[in-house]
Amino acid sequence: MKQTIMVDMDEVIAEGGFLHLVNEFGKTNYTLDDVKGYYMQDLVPDKQEFFKFFITKNQYDYSRLLPDVVEVLKILQEYFDIYIGTSYTIKEIPRECGIILLQKHNFLYDNLPFIPPENYIFIYNKSLLNCDIKIDDKLDNLTNAKVKLLFTAYHNKDLSDEYLQSLGVIRVNNWLEIKNILLKEFNNEDSSTKK
């Protein structure tokens, strides 16, 4: 039986769409360096008007896949069962979030056709998921995993390596690092079972 991997979507598989809409709405030129907390919408003075605009758009029309993600996931799929674990809720517009679920589903379906839709898990509290390996940009989402990989993002880059090590978390900066870590992990487990 293959080990299971939960992969987050936003800032791990795809990025850029939400900030694009923040800038389009406000006629601004914010970069990720301008985002001081977790929520990009905090850059916008009038959140109510922003989200009226936001729900008329599809942020994934403006999102890009991270480098090497498709190639690495295809390789990892040979050794692991891969699930996409992603939230689709936004606290400011809870009722309208169903459209985001559809947008996420279609982006994944179109860009990662080798991962079947039955492997998409739309969930806010990822601590409920018990997977062998978790890859996420949010520390809280890595609980209940044997291997915890924190994908570097604008909001977690200041967490020290010492702090992450104390939690048993490995920082990863790109998908090639993930491939090297997980294939090494797989090969070590594989060789230990042969003894």
Side-chain angles (χ1 to χ4, degrees):
M1 188 170 164
K2 290 181 178 179
Q3 291 190 78
T4 55
I5 301 179
M6 183 214 79
V7 183
D8 179 35
M9 181 175 173
D10 297 299
E11 314 308 323
V12 176
I13 291 174
E15 66 178 4
F18 198 102
L19 188 59
H20 173 93
L21 292 181
V22 166
N23 282 325
E24 185 179 330
F25 171 77
K27 298 178 176 50
T28 49
N29 292 298
Y30 291 124
T31 68
L32 290 177
D33 290 334
D34 297 309
V35 186
K36 300 308 177 194
Y38 181 76
Y39 297 105
M40 292 183 192
Q41 60 262 41
D42 290 343
L43 292 168
V44 181
D46 190 342
K47 289 193 185 70
Q48 189 172 5
E49 286 304 310
F50 168 69
F51 280 112
K52 284 181 187 175
F53 163 82
F54 179 85
I55 61 172
T56 68
K57 301 282 188 172
N58 178 352
Q59 67 175 308
Y60 298 101
D61 287 343
Y62 311 96
S63 293
R64 59 191 168 272
L65 292 166
L66 270 78
D68 305 306
V69 63
V70 173
E71 296 79 7
V72 172
L73 284 176
K74 282 182 177 178
I75 292 167
L76 293 178
Q77 194 178 43
E78 297 176 32
Y79 304 96
F80 304 94
D81 285 330
I82 298 174
Y83 295 86
I84 308 300
T86 183
S87 173
Y88 65 95
T89 56
I90 295 176
K91 60 183 179 175
E92 290 90 348
I93 50 166
R95 189 178 188 285
E96 292 84 1
C97 288
I99 187 88
I100 300 170
L101 189 154
L102 177 62
Q103 292 165 356
K104 283 183 173 245
H105 173 281
N106 290 346
F107 183 89
L108 292 168
Y109 191 84
D110 292 341
N111 289 280
L112 304 175
F114 52 93
I115 297 179
E118 54 266 32
N119 286 26
Y120 307 163
I121 303 170
F122 297 100
I123 186 170
Y124 181 79
N125 183 359
K126 297 180 193 175
S127 69
L128 298 171
L129 301 177
N130 292 314
C131 291
D132 298 300
I133 300 158
K134 288 186 177 180
I135 306 167
D136 208 296
D137 64 315
K138 193 173 183 186
L139 205 51
D140 294 347
N141 292 336
L142 297 174
T143 56
N144 294 330
K146 288 187 269 183
V147 178
K148 304 170 185 177
L149 303 181
L150 181 72
F151 203 98
T152 298
Y154 63 93
H155 58 88
N156 69 34
K157 61 187 176 188
D158 294 332
L159 296 175
S160 72
D161 290 340
E162 294 76 23
Y163 176 64
L164 295 179
Q165 285 171 5
S166 74
L167 300 174
V169 172
I170 302 166
R171 180 184 289 282
V172 290
N173 298 299
N174 57 62
W175 275 94
L176 294 180
E177 285 184 18
I178 291 172
K179 180 183 79 167
N180 292 337
I181 289 167
L182 293 185
L183 291 185
K184 182 178 176 186
E185 177 91 7
F186 175 82
N187 289 329
N188 285 344
E189 291 224 351
D190 195 43
S191 60
S192 67
T193 57
K194 292 177 182 174
K195 290 180 182 175

